[in-house]
Amino acid sequence: MTSRTYDVVGVGIGPFGLGLAALAEPLPDVDAVFLDQRAGFSWHPGMMLDGATIQVPFLADLVTMADPTSPYSFLAFLKATGRLYPFYVRESFYPLRSEYDQYCRWVADRLDSLRWGRRVVAVEHDTASDEYVVTAVRSGGPDDGERETYRARHVVLGVGTTPRLPAPLADLAGAWRAGQAGPGPVIHSAEYLPHRDALQAAGAITVVGSGQSAAEVYRDLLEDVHGSGGRVGYRLDWVTRSPRFFPMEYTKLTLEMTSPEYTDHYRSLPADLRDRLGREQRSLYKGISGDLVDDIYDTLYRLSALGRQVPTTLLTDTEVVAARHDAATGEHVLTLRHAQLGREVEHRTRAVVAATGYGAGVPEFLDPVRERLRLDARGRFDVTRDYSVDVADRIHTVGGEEHTHGVTAPDLGFGPWRSSVVLAKVTRREPYPVERGIAFQTFGLPGGTPGDDAPGHGSTGTGRVTTEAAR
Ligand SMILES: Cc1cc2nc3c(=O)[nH]c(=O)nc-3n(C[C@H](O)[C@H](O)[C@H](O)COP(=O)(O)OP(=O)(O)OC[C@H]3O[C@@H](n4cnc5c(N)ncnc54)[C@H](O)[C@@H]3O)c2cc1C
């Protein structure tokens, strides 16, 4: 076991873990190491669609909102790669998704604190030293299977979220993966691109889901619905539980909800109310970009010009309640229920893309320290306002706190602010200024959020951020 004790051991190097690593790097009082099971940085490779852009402005990079002078900013990347003027001339706030991925790889290549090919399998607490001990297994390379341990004062969870399928589709996908449901893929959108050819070859595809990913997959497949380049056409259907194909809300007073103040307010509410609000606020970040909705309409219009039939059905208010494979016909049979009609129909298709979202959970590797975790009645992290998940305020999460903090959790633009709060905990100072208020509007009632009047006394669990740290 190594004798070195790190100030921070980060688990997961997606955008949020990488952002924390980039902000920790210049700090002389932070000795950090970040572990990831992957061989290198890779951002949503299954959805790296040509022409797709990120949904937030380029300022929402890994570091700028915390430190506009950072050498790891998106603008620094553009300058270093000779793309600053083309980006300037392009006059769009929204980088391509592939560009954002390249940018993150560029930053990752410049940080010494990253360790790839390490899957974290356990976090334990050493009572003698009051430190955490993180165990990782090497994956790939000559040391495949070797175990490594890292001692830590603080552990930061940047493990992201995992694809979620509704139960009926999860079973069918499992059967397909086991080779028991014919050739037509049944996959989550996270794996779309590697399966695109097989989907198109299946002859009939059904997309299930209501958000940006569902719309992007539908739009991508719609282009070749009549066949092209020697490939035959196919049927393409889109089924969503949502009452309509609703656009993401981008109006500025709504965007102010992606703020410290709204997060204070949201975090101060009872868990049941937060859960209800979370469902109601879907249009804030789980809708479809308005441009894409219109692009889909325009494509349908173009493809149906000159009297051509477009072999597609778009269904709203409709839920997949059952799914099976019909070996006799080679079809997947989905039972669809319409929410208003209350009626069910059988829908036959030959391939399914479930763009049904992602979910966070309490990683199993924390089982050895479960008694030290803050968990709510549903077994989820009861994340404090300043992102701690253990009783000692020394295990923190960056991402996955949607159920406690709301819309800011998955937002790339809010990553640097959250990292600044966590680094303030680690350093007992504010290496990066933590804005307490950015909005013109007041959330809740004038006079602030409960718990406000206890400044500087550790994490309150509710109310506003304090940066008083317990090292
Ligand atoms: C297709 C898509 C597009 C999106 N676009 C945007 C956007 O434009 N704007 C926006 O604001 N948000 C966007 N989001 C939402 C969100 O920003 C992203 O999901 C983002 O990737 C979250 O980053 P993360 O660091 O939390 O997690 P991830 O990117 O999921 O990274 C988590 C990392 O943890 C590692 N890991 C997990 N468990 C372990 C373990 N036990 N040991 C070691 N490593 C582990 C994984 O290998 C992975 O590399 C998008 C989401 C998707 C799915």
Side-chain angles (χ1 to χ4, degrees), residues 11-18 35-38 42-44 47 53-56 97 116 118-121 158-161 213 216 358 365 398-400 410-413:
V11 185
I13 315 175
F16 295 141
L18 183 61
L35 314 171
D36 197 291
Q37 59 198 351
R38 291 182 175 161
S42 173
W43 197 53
H44 302 302
M47 285 296 291
T53 66
I54 62 172
Q55 309 288 301
V56 284
R97 194 174 286 161
W116 298 102
R118 270 84 172 173
R119 186 167 60 80
V120 171
V121 291
V159 294
T161 52
S213 292
E216 287 181 8
Y358 298 75
F365 60 71
V398 288
D411 190 282
L412 291 173

Side-chain angles (χ1 to χ4, degrees), residues 218-240:
Y218 179 80
R219 173 65 186 85
D220 188 59
L221 290 167
L222 186 60
E223 194 59 39
D224 297 332
V225 82
H226 285 139
S228 68
R231 185 204 311 272
V232 293
Y234 41 82
R235 191 175 170 80
L236 176 64
D237 299 312
W238 185 3
V239 176
T240 173

